[in-house]
Amino acid sequence: MFDILMYLFENYVHSEVELLVDEDELTKELTRAGFHQSEIIKALAWLEHLADLQEAGTPYLCNHDQHSFRIYTDAEMEKIDVESRGFLLFLEQIKVLSVETREMVIDRVMEIDEPTLTLDDLKWVILMVLFNAPGHESAYEQMEDLIFEQPDGRLHS
């Protein structure tokens, strides 16, 4: 399923090509690309849930104390390793993620049918969430810079 999400993000969203609105056409395209029907259904449901998180009244978008501290459940700690949890905290500290977008990221990570995710996988989920969160365009651009910026190898100028 994660491969399909990556495929869609890289081929439609990230490349700024308009995403096909017709779900049947999209399913046919993904099938032609070699993906299995059951995985396509899971990926499209995952994206639909991501869109649902933007709806008014969703608990993730309610007012939270911006100084709260996140305690992870056992299941979350099993799926999201220490390095990834540290990265989420770092992104909050530099204001790329808000409390709400962090919770959306964790929600979407927990719905991916992989037992664990790598830090690189987490970064892509963060990009997908920020891309779909209205008003977070600047955070999306910052996240893109963090992911795609290639260090030149120099420590000092």
Side-chain angles (χ1 to χ4, degrees):
M1 176 181 88
F2 193 71
D3 292 338
I4 296 170
L5 294 172
M6 294 294 302
Y7 176 89
L8 290 172
F9 192 74
E10 289 177 341
N11 289 295
Y12 292 99
V13 177
H14 191 66
S15 65
E16 298 180 11
V17 173
E18 189 172 324
L19 186 61
L20 299 171
V21 178
D22 187 314
E23 192 172 308
D24 290 335
E25 275 302 311
L26 186 55
T27 300
K28 287 176 187 173
E29 152 122 17
L30 292 169
T31 302
R32 284 191 301 269
F35 297 110
H36 296 283
Q37 185 75 22
S38 62
E39 294 298 306
I40 294 169
I41 292 168
K42 288 180 197 176
L44 294 178
W46 189 94
L47 289 169
E48 190 173 313
H49 276 108
L50 176 57
D52 290 345
L53 292 177
Q54 310 307 319
E55 298 296 319
T58 301
Y60 301 114
L61 300 179
C62 296
N63 291 330
H64 293 284
D65 180 359
Q66 296 300 316
H67 301 289
S68 63
F69 184 78
R70 179 64 155 85
I71 305 294
Y72 289 86
T73 67
D74 289 340
E76 290 168 343
M77 287 192 298
E78 192 172 308
K79 186 168 239 176
I80 307 168
D81 66 14
V82 172
E83 181 182 28
S84 295
R85 292 192 308 265
F87 187 68
L88 287 171
L89 180 59
F90 166 72
L91 292 178
E92 278 186 86
Q93 291 171 339
I94 65 168
K95 308 279 189 249
V96 169
L97 289 178
S98 64
V99 171
E100 292 82 9
T101 54
R102 177 201 63 213
E103 290 304 310
M104 286 189 262
V105 167
I106 293 169
D107 178 87
R108 294 297 75 218
V109 163
M110 295 307 293
E111 291 299 315
I112 293 175
D113 60 352
E114 302 288 331
T116 59
L117 260 73
T118 67
L119 179 57
D120 286 337
D121 294 342
L122 175 67
K123 289 175 181 179
W124 283 104
V125 172
I126 294 166
L127 271 179
M128 287 182 236
V129 167
L130 290 175
F131 182 83
N132 286 285
H136 291 85
E137 293 80 11
S138 174
Y140 174 82
E141 290 172 9
Q142 284 180 278
M143 189 64 201
E144 264 191 325
D145 289 345
L146 285 171
I147 291 176
F148 298 117
E149 201 171 79
Q150 297 297 320
D152 63 6
R154 294 183 312 183
L155 294 177
H156 301 282
S157 310

